[in-house]
Amino acid sequence: MLHVTGPGRAEVRSTPAGSPVDPEALGAALDAAFADGVGVVGWWVPVGDWVARRTAWRLGFAYGGVLRGWVDGADAWAFTLGADDPREPRTRWLDCPVIEGDGVRLRPLTTADAPRVVEGIGDPDTQFWLSFMPRDPGPAEGLAYLETALVRLADNHTVTWGFAETGDDRLLGAVGLYRLDTEPELGYWTHPDARGRGLTVRAARLALGHAFGTLGLSHVAAYAAAGNAASLGVLEALGMRRVGVRRRSATTGDGRVADLVGYDLLAEELSAG
Ligand SMILES: CC(C)(COP(=O)(O)OP(=O)(O)OC[C@H]1O[C@@H](n2cnc3c(N)ncnc32)[C@H](O)[C@@H]1OP(=O)(O)O)[C@@H](O)C(=O)NCCC(=O)NCCS
């Protein structure tokens, strides 16, 4: 399982190639290798191998980024573990729990959602107001969106939920708590066929409840471009407080620069709606 590849260096290799690595067995092999003078162990796994990524995280490996074309021509996630590193997770791996209330259900996104994600992020309003979304998305961009949501959970960065109505799992939109490791911020988009029914406000209120309750945050921010009446309406309906304007801080889909209106909410200010 561990192969010495140079002075003081070893690599994790599963046998047969691509089979899951048993965390207990790897832990024992690491103990033996470090006792034998190995200083650092590297591990690269194909991007998307979440079982291996979780094992690397659990055993204290540091995530080093993506190595392009590294494993049989495919991209790989790179991890390293030093002899003196604590054998425990370095960062929080965020949960994306199912949360229900007020007729709305927040849940993890699944591959079955991909077509609805493509429609939602490809919609002209979304393309205009969220100009960082890929232009003219297709199936590949839909799957990349789902993959990014998983990566950001692993990175302690963002929880992204899909939301649906209780009793009907069809995806209606996405709501997220972004930058949880630094400046927590609420964000959302809603499929065009589900807008105007108050669903975004209800979904966002559940996400804020999770932020202040389960995650124990005291402050969440949100931003909407000055002309985005629908999004400003969501933030007002949530009872978020308008705190100021960040001038020329966004670019809309037509390439123009726009002001961003800043809002925030403190834990004690969240109302049940
Ligand atoms: C912004 C967006 C998520 C709103 O979704 P929605 O489901 O229509 O919002 P809701 O139905 O929950 O409405 C929320 C509030 O905004 C108001 N609102 C909604 N659309 C509006 C519009 N076009 N103009 C003015 N107010 C509007 C509603 O009246 C409601 O207020 P109320 O509760 O006081 O009646 C949706 O338009 C969207 O996906 N836009 C593109 C992506 C985007 O802009 N995301 C946010 C970026 S900051």
Side-chain angles (χ1 to χ4, degrees):
M1 181 177 297
L2 275 186
H3 294 255
V4 174
T5 53
R9 283 178 39 197
E11 271 174 41
V12 180
R13 290 189 203 150
S14 59
T15 19
S19 60
V21 166
D22 173 32
E24 311 306 324
L26 179 54
L30 290 167
D31 287 340
F34 290 139
D36 240 16
V38 166
V40 64
V41 172
W43 190 8
W44 19 95
V45 303
V47 166
D49 183 347
W50 286 99
V51 173
R53 181 153 178 167
R54 188 102 188 165
T55 300
W57 169 80
R58 263 183 60 194
L59 291 176
F61 279 79
Y63 172 63
V66 173
L67 298 172
R68 290 179 300 156
W70 196 256
V71 176
D72 300 330
D75 294 351
W77 286 320
F79 304 94
T80 52
L81 182 72
D84 298 328
D85 292 338
R87 212 72 68 71
E88 60 193 32
R90 295 161 174 262
T91 53
R92 178 174 57 165
W93 191 306
L94 292 162
D95 287 326
C96 184
V98 173
I99 306 174
E100 272 190 38
D102 207 9
V104 171
R105 188 156 160 271
L106 307 190
R107 56 158 179 78
L109 290 159
T110 72
T111 47
D113 296 323
R116 299 274 298 169
V117 167
V118 171
E119 290 166 15
I121 66 175
D123 157 73
D125 283 345
T126 311
Q127 291 268 299
F128 187 81
W129 295 117
L130 297 177
S131 64
F132 53 81
M133 291 290 186
R135 301 293 92 186
D136 302 319
E141 287 75 20
L143 291 176
Y145 185 96
L146 303 177
E147 187 75 9
T148 299
L150 292 176
V151 167
R152 288 180 169 182
L153 288 172
D155 283 349
N156 189 27
H157 184 282
T158 297
V159 184
T160 310
W161 290 272
F163 66 85
E165 284 182 281
T166 313
D168 177 356
D169 201 41
R170 200 164 74 111
L171 183 79
L172 301 179
V175 60
L177 296 168
Y178 297 82
R179 284 177 271 286
L180 285 166
D181 49 345
T182 50
E183 298 176 55
E185 182 184 324
L186 176 73
Y188 40 77
W189 57 260
T190 298
H191 192 285
D193 70 14
R195 292 179 189 163
R197 294 163 48 200
L199 291 165
T200 309
V201 171
R202 285 185 267 159
R205 197 175 279 121
L206 293 178
L208 289 171
H210 182 76
F212 296 131
T214 308
L215 297 179
L217 300 181
S218 66
H219 174 270
V220 173
Y223 300 91
N228 190 349
S231 188
L232 294 169
V234 170
L235 299 176
E236 293 286 341
L238 284 169
M240 295 191 78
R241 311 292 167 98
R242 186 179 158 131
V243 290
V245 174
R246 288 170 53 174
R247 294 177 298 163
R248 297 185 191 168
S249 295
T251 306
T252 46
D254 57 0
R256 295 195 184 172
V257 173
D259 292 345
L260 274 182
V261 185
Y263 282 77
D264 71 9
L265 193 69
L266 304 179
E268 59 273 27
E269 294 167 349
L270 178 65
S271 68

